Amino acid sequence: MASDSGVAGEVTELLQQLIRNRCVNDGTAESGGEIASVDVLTTYLEGSGLELERYEPLPGRSSLVARIEGTNPDAPTLMLMGHTDVVPVNPDGWLHDPFGGELIDDEVWGRGAIDMLNLTASMAVATRHLADGGFRPEGTLIYLAVADEEALGTHGAAHLTEHERDAVAADFVITESGGIPIPTASGVKLPVLVAEKGTYWCTLRIRGTPGHASQPLRTDNALVKAAEVVRRIAAYRPETQIHDVWRSFVESMEFPPEMAAPCLSTEGFVEMCEALPMIGLARQAHACTHTTFAPTIMHGGVKLNVIPDLVDLQLDIRTLPGQTGADVRAMLDDALGDLASSVELVADNDDPSTASPTDTPLWDCLQRVAGKLYEGAKTVPFMTVGATDARFFRRLGATAYGFGLFSDHIGFDDYSSMFHGDNERVDIESLRLSTELWELAARDMLST
Ligand SMILES: [Zn+2]
């Protein structure tokens, strides 16, 4: 095995290459271009005895599977999965080139540095090192560099789990993100993402009556009605839900009672989030315990001097464990009140919340391994408020967690603001820690 600095150098260089490839996914089928990073990863992994296989449902939208076949077909399979696409950037807010992959003061800068090219790179380096070292596990190890995570996984994880089941079937899956150290009075806690919220994306159509805009009195203006719809949705306060994942997160954080009690009480929860000075933490705590409604796009009107008769309003709604589309529609009715009957739901996409249990061999493995790399740290279950590719594998029956390891160089609030935000970067120590984590976890889970 290479020395520590060797590993850090290797993963840093690979991450820089992935950032420079600009695999920007803007949601269109033609974007992404993940083939560039699959080429880089293929070159990196070749010649180590790994079985490599590429999948390309559309030109340029490639995913790569690398595999070390286990000696015992009955032993469990572990998959390390990282996505290769990134979200778009607006370079105006950046201090350095978002696709430069520059190394500045021991930090690698660029889009994807924490979401999640850092982990995609460190998983590849760990896999290569295991293969180079002649790793012959009982269970199978799979590394998957997957396309299209940032746009619902259609050309990536959704495609592979539907059409290439044998290539990606796994009992245990680790993907983004988690592992940001949270210092507490009882020691460092490392969140493992065991669950994620669901998405319910919909379009509301608001109708009016066209007319001449030079005489607006007593007209039926769809845009004016839509403004009131937006206002009511923004003002809507769905119930606080202290669900199992949140409860076990708060309990395993071992907060002092005066801190734990308000986190477990539906009474005053929103007020507590509104008063918290750490805004990133406040948003997370709120989103973890509430169905959220965010109006994001509105289209309406045809001409400056015509009273608009049609407005389409798009909402990004995120659901909690156990909630269905019917629950969301009831909440929308509640939010809109007497306007509900004049608003039509014209399209929706319901992708419910998923979760994996914590009484599993993978949970125990991550606790053991993370505790070794992070003296005395304890893993705690957490829920991500975004969506990850873990959901496709949970639905197939796999235990899937989001994890990684980060140094104490990046705080929780910094981390939240860099996710899809400006000035995304990661420190080398975090890259080294994650690489060690994957290597130790594979040895621990798959036994030789
Ligand atoms: Zn991601």
Side-chain angles (χ1 to χ4, degrees):
M1 207 191 333
S3 70
D4 278 0
S5 65
V7 170
E10 219 171 304
V11 63
T12 298
E13 206 173 298
L14 189 55
L15 170 61
Q16 289 176 303
Q17 288 181 290
L18 298 182
I19 290 172
R20 290 171 189 151
N21 280 341
R22 308 177 174 246
C23 298
V24 175
N25 186 344
D26 64 13
T28 62
E30 307 74 50
S31 70
E34 294 90 344
I35 189 170
S37 285
V38 163
D39 284 344
V40 163
L41 289 164
T42 303
T43 303
Y44 175 74
L45 293 169
E46 262 170 357
S48 56
L50 286 159
E51 291 170 41
L52 301 179
E53 199 72 57
R54 298 159 74 124
Y55 300 89
E56 197 176 85
L58 283 180
R61 310 305 303 266
S62 309
S63 295
L64 175 70
V65 172
R67 170 186 288 271
I68 298 178
E69 200 64 47
T71 54
N72 175 0
D74 297 326
T77 295
L78 171 68
M79 178 190 282
L80 304 175
M81 171 172 62
H83 64 80
T84 49
D85 59 327
V86 297
V87 293
V89 294
N90 176 358
D92 295 352
W94 286 67
L95 293 171
H96 300 285
D97 179 359
F99 298 106
E102 289 169 84
L103 180 63
I104 300 163
D105 296 334
D106 286 339
E107 291 178 331
V108 179
W109 282 66
R111 176 55 89 223
I114 56 162
D115 180 13
M116 65 173 293
L117 305 181
N118 56 326
L119 303 183
T120 307
S122 61
M123 286 169 169
V125 171
T127 304
R128 162 101 214 191
H129 281 206
L130 285 164
D132 282 344
F135 184 49
R136 274 281 149 258
E138 260 196 70
T140 296
L141 175 68
I142 300 175
Y143 167 72
L144 169 60
V146 72
D148 203 27
E149 192 275 342
E150 296 291 1
L152 299 177
T154 312
H155 310 299
H159 170 83
L160 292 169
T161 49
E162 207 170 309
H163 302 287
E164 308 289 352
R165 190 79 57 92
D166 289 348
V168 296
D171 303 286
F172 300 101
V173 176
I174 315 179
T175 187
E176 65 185 336
S177 41
I180 288 285
I182 309 177
T184 72
S186 56
V188 170
K189 303 291 190 285
L190 302 167
V192 178
L193 305 182
V194 301
E196 63 188 60
K197 288 184 84 176
T199 52
Y200 183 95
W201 289 349
C202 66
T203 301
L204 301 182
R205 180 157 291 170
I206 299 131
R207 292 184 192 279
T209 310
H212 205 292
S214 61
Q215 36 191 354
L217 186 70
R218 296 171 68 183
T219 52
D220 176 26
N221 184 327
L223 194 51
V224 173
K225 223 186 288 175
E228 177 60 11
V229 168
V230 170
R231 198 200 59 77
R232 288 187 189 186
I233 286 167
Y236 183 56
R237 293 284 171 264
E239 287 180 0
T240 302
Q241 287 202 21
I242 307 297
H243 50 83
D244 289 350
V245 179
W246 179 255
R247 179 177 299 281
S248 71
F249 164 69
V250 173
E251 285 169 358
S252 51
M253 284 296 285
E254 301 173 303
F255 290 132
E258 65 275 16
M259 218 173 131
C263 291
L264 293 173
S265 157
T266 53
E267 206 67 25
F269 194 101
V270 176
E271 291 74 8
M272 173 184 73
C273 293
E274 269 160 4
L276 256 186
M278 297 87 81
I279 194 161
L281 201 61
R283 283 180 187 150
Q284 281 268 338
H286 175 264
C288 279
T289 50
H290 295 81
T291 318
T292 56
F293 296 77
T296 50
I297 298 177
M298 184 148 84
H299 291 295
V302 289
K303 193 166 184 299
L304 189 143
N305 61 353
V306 177
I307 298 286
D309 64 343
L310 186 73
V311 169
D312 278 343
L313 170 65
Q314 286 174 261
L315 300 179
D316 181 351
I317 301 170
R318 304 288 171 136
T319 57
L320 290 170
Q323 287 182 331
T324 63
D327 294 324
V328 176
R329 289 189 289 275
M331 281 187 270
L332 276 174
D333 279 349
D334 199 17
L336 296 177
D338 60 358
L339 278 177
S341 57
S342 44
V343 172
E344 186 191 348
L345 185 73
V346 289
D348 61 357
N349 174 21
D350 185 9
D351 203 343
S353 167
T354 59
S356 287
T358 54
D359 55 342
T360 68
L362 184 58
W363 179 271
D364 297 341
C365 158
L366 292 181
Q367 172 55 58
R368 270 193 300 273
V369 170
K372 264 185 223 162
L373 296 172
Y374 237 99
E375 270 298 299
K378 253 189 69 184
T379 50
V380 299
F382 197 56
M383 179 169 79
T384 175
V385 300
T388 76
D389 282 337
R391 69 189 189 284
F392 298 107
F393 294 88
R394 290 194 187 115
R395 286 176 189 150
L396 291 183
T399 294
Y401 297 147
F403 199 50
L405 273 183
F406 292 86
S407 72
D408 55 10
H409 188 86
I410 302 178
F412 196 87
D413 254 33
D414 294 335
Y415 183 78
S416 309
S417 71
M418 286 194 290
F419 228 83
H420 294 197
D422 292 339
N423 297 319
E424 192 178 343
R425 60 199 186 277
V426 69
D427 61 298
I428 291 183
E429 175 61 7
S430 293
L431 295 173
R432 189 191 65 78
L433 276 169
S434 281
T435 314
E436 292 259 312
L437 168 74
W438 310 131
E439 203 170 325
L440 291 174
R443 289 183 188 283
D444 183 287
M445 275 302 285
L446 300 174
S447 65
T448 43

